[in-house]
Every structure is written in structure tokens, then in C-alpha cells.
Amino acid sequence: PRSVEKYVFVTHMPCSMCAKRLINLGNVKRVFYGLDYRNRNSLTLFESVGIPVEHLPDLIRRHECLPEEVAAPSRGRSA
């Protein structure tokens, strides 16, 4: 449903056609992708509608230097 917030994880950066489908899906909050795609036009589409796009390897590299408890927060389990 359009009312449900969506966080999209994909293996490759979406192509323009896939980006349009995700945009039309509604309520996509962020797109995460693992590998680049030869055409980067989809980034402009996502930007035009305010959907942030994150390259997972870059995101992981940015957080590698964080303390363990910040990089991998506990799931609410008590000791």
C-alpha cells in the first residue's frame, strides 16, 4: 500500500525505468544499492522527488571507524 513506508535494498543501482516504478510505488523513503549501473540517470530522478540513494559499500566504509556499539546497536537484549 502507498501508506506503508518503504526502504528498498537492491543489488544494482536501479535503471531509469525501475526508478520510475519505485517512485510511482509511493512512500519510498530511501534506496540502497550494492553495485553501480552503467547509466546513472536514475539518480537525477530520485533526487527530483526527494528520495535519497545510498551506495552500500560507501555507507559501510563511512561507518567502519565507529565504535562497535554504534555500528551494531543492541537489539534491546539485557545482559
Side-chain angles (χ1 to χ4, degrees):
R2 293 182 74 77
S3 61
V4 175
E5 290 185 354
K6 298 157 192 81
Y7 294 86
V8 179
F9 292 82
V10 292
T11 57
H12 289 76
M13 177 191 305
C15 67
S16 294
M17 291 301 292
C18 290
K20 289 175 185 177
R21 294 187 98 172
L22 288 170
I23 291 165
N24 287 330
L25 185 61
N27 217 5
V28 172
K29 296 299 182 186
R30 189 173 297 263
V31 174
F32 298 90
Y33 70 96
L35 301 171
D36 278 323
Y37 184 67
R38 66 180 183 269
N39 185 326
R40 300 175 64 82
N41 293 342
S42 62
L43 294 177
T44 305
L45 290 170
F46 286 125
E47 184 179 319
S48 72
V49 296
I51 297 175
V53 178
E54 293 274 357
H55 186 219
L56 282 173
D58 293 342
L59 184 65
I60 292 166
R61 270 194 295 279
R62 283 197 308 263
H63 293 287
E64 281 180 344
C65 61
L66 292 176
E68 185 175 328
E69 64 274 3
V70 174
S74 84
R75 301 272 181 200
R77 294 182 212 158
S78 57

